[in-house]
Amino acid sequence: LPETGSDYSYNRLALYHRNYLPLNFVDASLHTQVKLGFANGSSFDSPAFGIGGGGSLRGYESDVVVGNAMLQLNTEYHHHLSGYRQLRGVVFIDAGNAWPGGLEVDPKLYSSVGLGLRWRVQSFVDVTLRVDTAYAVDTGETKFYATTSSSF
């Protein structure tokens, strides 16, 4: 409403599903995430969703694709290294895309694959240090990420 200082009406719906599956027979786990989003009322100058970067589609520039509809899929296989349970090796696959609107969906998904390490530090603070290297299948680029959290 213009009376409240708004420039336009805006709706955004985002659905998330995350699953953490222990693979006890190999002392590992499989982490999966699916995100689906739709928005209306925003303009293409300020789209609601962006895909790309260390938090969504590793291996690509941040917000390499933007739009008002999006799909993101992430899968990570975590395995403890050398019996030290706080240090895990990770193999991952990411896929996703964003489109201008819900009815303008192109079936192409950008994808990447990569390797990483997760180190859970519990002395003084409880934080997970994350280091990933990802290869973007569509561009052939490789990117390196270092953060203080898990990807999802």
Side-chain angles (χ1 to χ4, degrees), residues 65-124:
V65 187
V66 295
N68 290 321
M70 63 87 75
L71 174 65
Q72 176 184 325
L73 310 161
N74 307 95
T75 299
E76 294 184 347
Y77 173 79
H78 291 235
H79 198 283
H80 300 289
L81 299 177
S82 301
Y84 180 59
R85 299 192 59 79
Q86 309 302 35
L87 183 64
R88 295 169 290 158
V90 176
V91 176
F92 62 85
I93 299 171
D94 296 337
N97 202 346
W99 304 278
L103 298 176
E104 305 169 34
V105 174
D106 175 7
K108 175 185 176 29
L109 292 178
Y110 294 87
S111 58
S112 64
V113 296
L115 300 171
L117 289 174
R118 305 289 184 274
W119 180 27
R120 184 171 179 199
V121 180
Q122 293 177 291
S123 301
F124 303 111

Side-chain angles (χ1 to χ4, degrees), residues 10-91:
Y10 182 81
N11 294 300
R12 177 179 171 162
L13 173 66
L15 302 170
Y16 298 83
H17 174 73
R18 294 181 180 140
N19 188 43
Y20 303 93
L21 177 67
L23 304 172
N24 296 327
F25 59 95
V26 290
D27 195 22
S29 59
L30 187 65
H31 302 190
T32 56
Q33 171 177 257
V34 177
K35 288 185 178 183
L36 181 63
F38 298 100
N40 67 5
S42 65
S43 67
F44 197 71
D45 295 336
S46 60
F49 303 104
I51 296 290
S56 63
L57 186 60
R58 293 164 279 194
Y60 293 87
E61 294 293 329
S62 293
D63 297 337
V64 69
V65 187
V66 295
N68 290 321
M70 63 87 75
L71 174 65
Q72 176 184 325
L73 310 161
N74 307 95
T75 299
E76 294 184 347
Y77 173 79
H78 291 235
H79 198 283
H80 300 289
L81 299 177
S82 301
Y84 180 59
R85 299 192 59 79
Q86 309 302 35
L87 183 64
R88 295 169 290 158
V90 176
V91 176

